[in-house]
Amino acid sequence: MPGGAVVIGGGLRELTSLQVLRTLDTGPRGLTDGNAAERLARFGENTLPARRTVSWPGRFLRSLRDPFTAVLLCLGLVSAAVAAWGAACVITVLVVVSCVLRSAGEHRADRSMAGLRDLVATTATVLRRADGEAAPVAREIPVDELVPGDVVRLGPGDLVPADVRLLRANNLSVNQAALTGESAPVVKHPVDAPNRPGDRRTGGAPTDNAPTGHGPAHDGLTRNGPTGNGNGPAGGGAGRKGYGPTGGEVPESGSFDAPQLCFQGSSVMAGSGTAVVVATGAHTRFAAAHDSVHPRGPSAFDRSVHGISWILIRFMLLTPPLVLMANAALRGRGLETLPFAVAVAVGLTPEMLPVIVTTCLARGASLLARVHGVIVRRLPALHDLGAVDVLCLDKTGTLTQDRPVVVRALDADGRDDPEVLHWAAVNAWWTLQLADLPVPDALDEAILDADDSLGEALLVAHDATDVRDTADAADAADAADAADAADAADAADAADAADAADAADAADAADTAAGDDASGHDVPGHDRVEVPGHGRGAAVPFDYDGIAAVPFDPARRLSTAVVRTPGRLGFHTLVVKGAVENVLERCALDDAERQRLLALAADRADDGLRLLAVATAERPARQRAYTPADERGLTFTGFVALREELVPSAAGALRVLADRGVTVKVLTGDHPGTVARACRDLGLDPGEVCTAAGIDRLTDRELAELADRTTVFARCTPEHKARIVSTLRAAGHTTGFLGDGVNDLPALHAADVGICPRDAVDVARESAGVVLAGHGKDLTAIDHAIMAGRHSSVTIATYLRITLSSNLGNVIAMLAAGLLLPFLPMLPAQALVQNLCFDAAQLTFSYDRVAPAALRRPTMLRPRDFLRFITAFGALNAVADLATFAVLALALRGPGGTDDEALFHSGWFTENLLTQALVMVLLRTGRRTAEAPGTFGARGVFGVRGISPVGRAAAALAVTGLLLPLSPLGPPLGMTALPSVYYLLLVVVLGLYAVALAVARRRHENRGARK
């Protein structure tokens, strides 16, 4: 057994089951405990390559790599180098707080993810023996302990625990959507003679059911459509329901198409099977798909942060040399101005930026997790959600449920005919009832749900049963004899025994059970139910007498129910349902009529409907078993048209996303007609659908142009999805991708933000930045996450604009004052206190309410936009500072130079805090909606009732600026009381500044609206 596993691929497909067992040194009875233990030690556990759990110190150190944090650390080191210990300590504290907040948020997300992983089933049923002579025993063992050579049992709902080769199968169908993206289940069966006649794709194979046996009624249709060219709308392999229109080639999926192979990551939809494990752990196709994914590139948040950080770095590197050179040239000062130059550079830096960014994102992520069940695994992913303008998603589970629904029942002329649906329901009911393992089939459930007669009859039958039960209970009460009740039980047992009697008496027993005696009269207690729409006295599906069922097999792609029709003594009715082409070739039709019906089916199928054909035939009653050979000379009844049931909330969510400026693009492996139909039904214009074949012929530039105007991409492989997402990103879009399978991993990594549901495969959850912990791929939850991301991004952008423009104005004013004044315009201690006050007030931005208008479009931190904003408003702020210098120079007359210096420091300190408070109120995004009526307008800027957190912080900042020079802390900081005339002149300066700010903001908003 080289390598511990048989390599999945062409070599394995060419081996027979016996050869595979010999290669793995095992047998149908499974491994012994000793062999299993030896192989487990030799080949390792059946797990993916171990995930590295990041420790708390590791998370903290990783947070230091954030560009904003790195800038602050550099400034802190420079401050310490020039003995500015106060600034160095403040910067260190801010860095530590930011890193702790970020690490805590990501640690909470990881704990939530661990909880989701615990919900996944982790056991498998395996045959093991105590020793070589012991009989095999079926055991439940952890999936991690499976080894190559183990023989496992698969049943409905099981996850395939490893890559396996089927040894036996009983109507087994598997969902491989997590691996291939194809929504239709795939029929799996053992194949020991590849390319054997009778199976057009991979060769027929024996199953556990003989042709005449009773098994689940799978209308097990391959992907062959009405004309047999192998293209069903679901694009879903040889699935039970892979029926549908023609046209378009299915992407080659390699070994996934092999009917004898099942792969880790898929799940059993129906049936059962026994298989031998051929690959585990890192050797599985599941692991190979994970390993082939390239590392994720920088996201939208990363690009924005790096751009803004480099703007700050350039400013800070330029400022100290300018200050030193200017003071040396004009004032003859030397290195004594170095602390002042460092203070100017520190003043330009938004020290609270890492804290504000982390707080905003962590708060938004926490609210999403508590209220909407959305887990943000990486905090920057929340910003990326707010910037998303293109959301790429699959159809199944997002737009449609993985469940069909009947749309119409058509006769041979394409007219609505309820009789067709009735016979389809008869087939569905009795093939299910006569199955050895009655597992409901999705299509049969849809047909039974759509047959109105069934629900009405159930109510009638239920009422009749209640009446009879009541009468029986009354008789028993009158008798008041327990012996009578025992006799009744014995009679019931006798009836059961009669039902199980020899074949010669079975027909008579069935006649009695059906409600007719030998002469054709109704038996009391079996009243015929009259069904509206089916004619007077028509029978419901369970009012027939089921005789036999010929179950589905991959070669026939149809199933047959044999029933005794009420009132038709001596005859059996064959009801056949299956793939259009396979049913039609068994009907008594001439070639012209058959081609007309095929064309009619293809026309309906091209509109996105999935079609089943229904036919019937009457045969003389017989005791001999029915076989597929009896499926001939049928009378064509009509078509049943189905489509996938739409997700109820999808249409509304799509409209909301469009209103929010998010373009939805559907990337799917399904048939173009099916996807287009679903989109139209949901109000999403599919336009011209592009298929994978068209994508392969395009260059990246051509694909970018196509992707910009195309809504639906069908027949996509994982590589196609990743290429489309990467092309959209390269074209300047911020992309989100919603996926849940291994086949979605490349696209999840290619997108700015990957999104997956809680029930996604483990590697998809680990790769995604956002996990929907609710049920399924809910677009409404994604909308909530996008809005939370926009809220956080708008808040961060508002903080940056206000802080950087104010700081830039102060730096310009400090440079000018340093050249014009014989003393420093502000002492380092004063600059530190001013920054601390402003920083403390800015913390409230994390709790500000954002105006709805700011959330209507995607929000992104664009460095060039910031540069234009801070340059314009920074210059305006510098003009206000210079005007304050003029007021101080003209209005203040101190008794001496020392007093003049203290008065100047006090006056500029007060003006700085007041202008910063004014900027916080006038330039914040939530100004127009944050206050209730009667606050901002009626009660002024600093009203009380309904005022926002930013408004309260601005008021506190203004009060601090006015009172600090007058307090006992003023003299130690080099400040003194100011004369009254200064305050009057300052009101004039601030009033003009407020008007200028309002005008500049309106012009900025109008310019943005035009863009």
Side-chain angles (χ1 to χ4, degrees):
M1 187 173 57
V6 177
V7 178
I8 296 289
L12 179 59
R13 296 176 66 169
E14 297 302 324
L15 297 178
T16 66
S17 298
L18 181 59
Q19 289 172 329
V20 171
L21 291 173
R22 288 176 176 172
T23 303
L24 293 168
D25 193 18
T26 185
R29 303 171 66 206
L31 298 172
T32 64
D33 291 337
N35 287 340
E38 185 271 332
R39 296 187 186 195
L40 183 63
R42 180 178 171 191
F43 304 116
E45 293 185 342
N46 179 32
T47 59
L48 291 176
R51 289 185 301 269
R52 295 184 59 188
T53 303
V54 183
S55 63
W56 250 99
R59 291 186 185 279
F60 187 88
L61 294 176
R62 192 169 61 182
S63 300
L64 296 177
R65 296 183 300 181
D66 179 78
F68 290 148
T69 304
V71 169
L72 279 184
L73 278 178
C74 292
L75 284 177
L77 293 176
V78 173
S79 299
V82 297
W85 299 111
C89 291
V90 170
I91 290 173
T92 302
V93 170
L94 294 177
V95 167
V96 171
V97 169
S98 172
C99 292
V100 168
L101 288 175
R102 182 166 182 170
S103 301
E106 293 184 354
H107 181 66
R108 282 196 301 269
D110 277 356
R111 282 191 312 195
S112 300
M113 288 297 300
L116 292 181
R117 285 194 292 270
D118 291 340
L119 298 177
V120 179
T122 57
T123 63
T125 303
V126 62
L127 296 180
R128 289 276 178 89
R129 296 173 291 153
D131 54 52
E133 302 299 326
V137 177
R139 307 177 191 172
E140 288 286 329
I141 68 169
V143 170
D144 296 351
E145 297 180 8
L146 284 179
V147 295
D150 265 328
V151 175
V152 296
R153 289 179 177 173
L154 302 175
D158 286 348
L159 295 175
V160 178
D163 289 353
V164 300
R165 166 73 180 255
L166 287 174
L167 303 176
R168 294 178 64 83
N170 182 4
N171 297 297
L172 180 67
S173 61
V174 174
N175 189 324
Q176 297 184 152
L179 300 169
T180 64
E182 297 175 346
S183 60
V186 180
V187 171
K188 296 290 186 177
H189 53 86
V191 174
D192 281 335
N195 301 320
R196 169 181 166 184
D199 186 337
R200 271 168 282 186
R201 298 185 57 219
T202 56
T207 64
D208 288 353
N209 287 47
T212 58
H214 300 322
H218 303 293
D219 296 329
L221 318 172
T222 66
R223 63 165 73 103
N224 297 337
T227 61
N229 64 352
N231 303 294
R240 294 175 295 158
K241 306 298 181 182
Y243 42 83
T246 64
E249 288 300 324
V250 180
E252 177 63 35
S253 55
S255 300
F256 293 123
D257 286 334
Q260 70 271 37
L261 300 178
C262 296
F263 300 90
Q264 186 181 39
S266 56
S267 58
V268 178
M269 300 297 294
S272 60
T274 303
V276 59
V277 175
V278 297
T280 59
H283 299 286
T284 62
R285 289 291 296 269
F286 190 86
H290 178 251
D291 294 339
S292 65
V293 174
H294 299 291
R296 175 182 283 109
S299 66
F301 181 80
D302 297 329
R303 296 193 298 271
S304 300
V305 166
H306 280 83
I308 296 173
S309 297
W310 276 109
I311 290 175
L312 295 177
I313 289 171
R314 291 188 186 99
F315 272 114
M316 287 184 294
L317 292 178
L318 185 63
T319 299
L322 286 177
V323 173
L324 291 174
M325 289 187 295
N327 278 278
L330 299 178
R331 293 292 179 180
R333 299 171 183 161
L335 291 178
E336 66 271 15
T337 59
L338 182 59
F340 175 71
V342 173
V344 171
V346 172
L348 180 64
T349 309
E351 298 95 336
M352 293 298 293
L353 181 56
V355 177
I356 294 291
V357 169
T358 304
T359 303
C360 288
L361 297 179
R363 184 168 180 263
S366 177
L367 289 174
L368 275 177
R370 291 200 313 268
V371 179
H372 301 295
V374 178
I375 300 173
V376 180
R377 299 190 61 247
R378 297 181 300 105
L379 289 183
L382 188 59
H383 164 270
D384 295 336
L385 276 173
V388 163
D389 61 343
V390 175
L391 177 62
C392 301
L393 45 84
D394 194 7
K395 173 185 67 68
T396 304
T398 308
L399 305 181
T400 63
Q401 303 180 50
D402 195 10
R403 182 177 57 180
V405 59
V406 174
V407 179
R408 302 177 68 185
L410 308 172
D411 63 13
D413 296 321
R415 296 188 297 264
D416 290 326
D417 185 356
E419 193 71 15
V420 177
L421 181 61
H422 168 71
W423 285 114
V426 171
N427 174 282
W429 176 265
W430 284 109
T431 49
L432 175 64
Q433 294 302 311
L434 296 174
D436 293 333
L437 296 173
V439 179
D441 177 270
L443 277 185
D444 289 343
E445 286 184 336
I447 290 172
L448 293 173
D449 289 342
D451 186 27
D452 295 336
S453 66
L454 181 63
E456 296 174 7
L458 283 172
L459 293 177
V460 174
H462 183 269
D463 293 341
T465 300
D466 288 345
V467 171
R468 289 195 296 271
D469 289 346
T470 303
D472 292 342
D475 293 341
D478 293 340
D481 193 340
D484 291 343
D487 291 340
D490 293 338
D493 293 338
D496 292 339
D499 289 340
D502 57 72
D505 296 333
D508 293 338
D511 286 340
T512 303
D516 296 316
D517 61 12
S519 59
H521 297 95
D522 289 344
V523 175
H526 290 80
D527 297 332
R528 183 76 59 226
V529 178
E530 188 169 314
V531 180
H534 294 294
R536 182 171 181 80
V540 296
F542 50 78
D543 211 14
Y544 293 80
D545 182 20
I547 303 300
V550 183
F552 160 82
D553 68 60
R556 290 165 44 245
R557 299 191 301 134
L558 49 81
S559 61
T560 298
V562 183
V563 299
R564 179 182 293 111
T565 304
R568 296 288 297 164
L569 294 178
F571 291 93
H572 291 167
T573 301
L574 277 69
V575 186
V576 180
K577 171 169 61 68
V580 172
E581 60 190 21
N582 295 70
V583 173
L584 289 179
E585 69 185 13
R586 289 165 170 78
C587 293
L589 300 170
D590 57 39
D591 290 340
E593 179 66 8
R594 185 176 290 108
Q595 291 304 317
R596 185 188 70 82
L597 292 173
L598 285 172
L600 176 63
D603 181 63
R604 295 294 188 272
D606 286 340
D607 192 35
L609 296 177
R610 298 178 172 183
L611 296 179
L612 286 173
V614 181
T616 60
E618 280 200 344
R619 301 281 190 267
R622 72 188 193 197
Q623 298 296 327
R624 182 165 40 89
Y626 285 87
T627 70
D630 295 301
E631 300 165 342
R632 52 183 170 75
L634 306 176
T635 301
F636 179 73
T637 304
F639 301 108
V640 177
L642 306 97
R643 62 167 171 80
E644 287 186 338
E645 187 168 2
L646 304 177
V647 174
S649 61
L654 288 173
R655 288 193 298 270
V656 171
L657 289 172
D659 292 340
R660 301 199 194 285
V662 178
T663 301
V664 173
K665 297 190 181 294
V666 183
L667 315 181
T668 179
D670 283 346
H671 187 277
T674 305
V675 188
R677 173 68 183 242
C679 291
R680 285 194 298 270
D681 291 345
L682 291 170
L684 180 65
D685 183 11
E688 182 179 354
V689 179
C690 179
T691 62
I695 297 174
D696 291 333
R697 294 191 296 265
L698 300 177
T699 64
D700 288 343
R701 176 174 295 183
E702 292 170 339
L703 180 59
E705 296 175 357
L706 177 68
D708 200 48
R709 64 176 187 270
T710 302
T711 301
V712 176
F713 295 86
R715 298 296 198 196
C716 291
T717 65
E719 291 73 22
H720 289 130
K721 294 181 181 181
R723 187 183 174 201
I724 293 169
V725 172
S726 299
T727 301
L728 289 169
R729 285 187 67 187
H733 295 286
T734 303
T735 59
F737 184 83
L738 174 61
D740 59 358
V742 176
N743 62 305
D744 293 322
L745 281 178
L748 285 170
H749 278 261
D752 287 287
V753 53
I755 311 167
C756 74
R758 60 179 287 180
D759 54 356
V761 297
D762 192 47
V763 289
R765 289 200 306 269
E766 296 300 326
S767 300
V770 176
V771 177
L772 308 179
H775 298 288
K777 296 180 278 189
D778 186 5
L779 289 178
T780 303
I782 294 178
D783 174 63
H784 291 313
I786 287 175
M787 295 307 292
R790 290 184 183 180
H791 190 286
S792 298
S793 298
V794 168
T795 301
I796 294 169
T798 300
Y799 164 78
L800 279 172
R801 291 191 183 102
I802 291 175
T803 303
L804 290 177
S805 59
S806 179
N807 289 357
L808 180 62
N810 286 340
V811 166
I812 295 174
M814 290 177 75
L815 290 175
L819 299 177
L820 299 175
L821 298 175
F823 50 80
L824 292 177
M826 184 173 288
L827 298 177
Q830 296 166 353
L832 179 62
V833 172
Q834 176 184 279
N835 286 340
L836 285 175
C837 293
F838 195 24
D839 292 343
Q842 289 167 336
L843 276 175
T844 57
F845 279 115
S846 302
Y847 303 90
D848 195 20
R849 289 165 289 180
V850 177
L855 303 177
R856 290 174 185 165
R857 314 302 297 176
T859 304
M860 188 172 179
L861 307 177
R862 304 183 185 277
R864 292 187 178 181
D865 293 343
F866 276 105
L867 185 59
R868 284 193 293 268
F869 185 95
I870 65 176
T871 301
F873 284 86
L876 190 60
N877 183 273
V879 170
D881 287 342
L882 293 174
T884 303
F885 293 166
V887 168
L888 290 169
L890 296 175
L892 301 181
R893 295 288 185 269
T898 303
D899 289 340
D900 287 343
E901 183 176 343
L903 287 172
F904 185 91
H905 290 160
S906 302
W908 196 24
F909 181 88
T910 299
E911 183 267 349
N912 260 336
L913 293 188
L914 290 177
T915 54
Q916 288 173 346
L918 199 61
V919 167
M920 287 178 63
V921 173
L922 294 179
L923 294 188
R924 68 189 179 93
T925 308
R927 178 177 64 88
R928 297 177 181 175
T929 58
E931 293 88 0
T935 57
F936 180 75
R939 298 200 178 195
V941 173
F942 303 124
V944 177
R945 182 168 59 90
I947 196 168
S948 71
V950 173
R952 290 194 293 269
L957 187 65
V959 170
T960 301
L962 291 171
L963 297 182
L964 188 59
L966 305 177
S967 70
L969 296 176
L973 293 174
M975 292 184 288
T976 186
L978 294 165
S980 301
V981 65
Y982 170 73
Y983 295 107
L984 295 176
L985 295 173
L986 186 60
V987 169
V988 175
V989 173
L990 293 177
L992 294 174
Y993 181 50
V995 172
L997 278 178
V999 172
R1001 170 172 174 155
R1002 183 171 295 275
R1003 291 185 60 185
H1004 175 77
E1005 290 176 345
N1006 292 338
R1007 189 182 304 112
R1010 286 195 298 270
K1011 290 183 179 180

